Amino acid sequence: MERYVVVDNVCGWPKLTLMDDGSINLDIHNVPSHGSSDGSAECWNSKDMGKSFQFIGVSGKGSDEAGAYIDKACGVAYNGDYLVIVQNMKRMKTVIFRSHDGGKTFEETGEIKSGRTHISNHGSMPFPYGIIQKIGGAKLAFHYWMNTERDWEKGYAT
């Protein structure tokens, strides 16, 4: 078995996406902490089936003011655009970033809202994860999780 360290000194939450050109995009949280340090959502790309990756862009640019871009879902839209849906606890938002060039440049194009009004640490935001899937009829789907009201009562979300 061969082992590779593709990006050193980061936390990860890696998301792998097979791109239309056969390359692989890898999206990560670029700070070696589990969201306790502000960091960015970075995009890396491999053209050799995952043996090596090169940094190509940043979807969510984290900072002390902007917060950390952590949990994410990634995938390719019907028109070939690369999508990153990522949550940011400091901004209290789950945002959509779209790239027309495979992950080199991104624009924030929307927000995913839960419909909940409970605003606490994790209470009202969807936490996306996994792959954005094409499900037909030009529709896309992705997984996310949210804290329950029972979690709020236990203090998990405050």
Side-chain angles (χ1 to χ4, degrees), residues 20-94:
D20 290 342
D21 66 0
S23 68
I24 301 169
N25 272 9
L26 166 71
D27 271 78
I28 59 162
H29 176 65
N30 71 342
V31 177
S33 72
H34 191 74
S36 60
S37 297
D38 295 327
S40 301
E42 288 185 353
C43 185
W44 294 64
N45 182 267
S46 174
K47 297 190 183 315
D48 59 7
M49 297 302 294
K51 291 183 179 177
S52 65
F53 284 82
Q54 303 298 318
F55 169 82
I56 60 170
V58 174
S59 56
K61 177 73 172 134
S63 68
D64 288 341
E65 297 80 32
Y69 288 90
I70 305 171
D71 297 291
K72 63 189 77 61
C74 304
V76 179
Y78 282 92
N79 68 352
D81 287 354
Y82 182 60
L83 302 174
V84 177
I85 301 172
V86 64
Q87 122 341 291
N88 181 305
M89 285 194 299
K90 191 175 275 184
R91 290 179 62 195
M92 301 298 283
K93 293 173 81 172
T94 301

Side-chain angles (χ1 to χ4, degrees), residues 63-138:
S63 68
D64 288 341
E65 297 80 32
Y69 288 90
I70 305 171
D71 297 291
K72 63 189 77 61
C74 304
V76 179
Y78 282 92
N79 68 352
D81 287 354
Y82 182 60
L83 302 174
V84 177
I85 301 172
V86 64
Q87 122 341 291
N88 181 305
M89 285 194 299
K90 191 175 275 184
R91 290 179 62 195
M92 301 298 283
K93 293 173 81 172
T94 301
V95 295
I96 304 166
F97 289 100
R98 180 178 289 267
S99 174
H100 303 295
D101 56 11
K104 295 175 187 151
T105 61
F106 290 88
E107 61 180 318
E108 186 175 326
T109 60
E111 179 179 353
I112 305 291
K113 295 188 179 194
S114 69
R116 290 187 179 174
T117 58
H118 187 285
I119 305 295
S120 82
N121 187 17
H122 296 72
S124 64
M125 305 172 359
F127 285 72
Y129 67 93
I131 306 284
I132 299 170
Q133 296 287 330
K134 298 174 186 173
I135 60 172

Side-chain angles (χ1 to χ4, degrees), residues 4-17:
Y4 299 92
V5 175
V6 295
V7 183
D8 197 13
N9 203 29
V10 299
C11 177
W13 286 296
K15 300 297 178 280
L16 296 171
T17 304

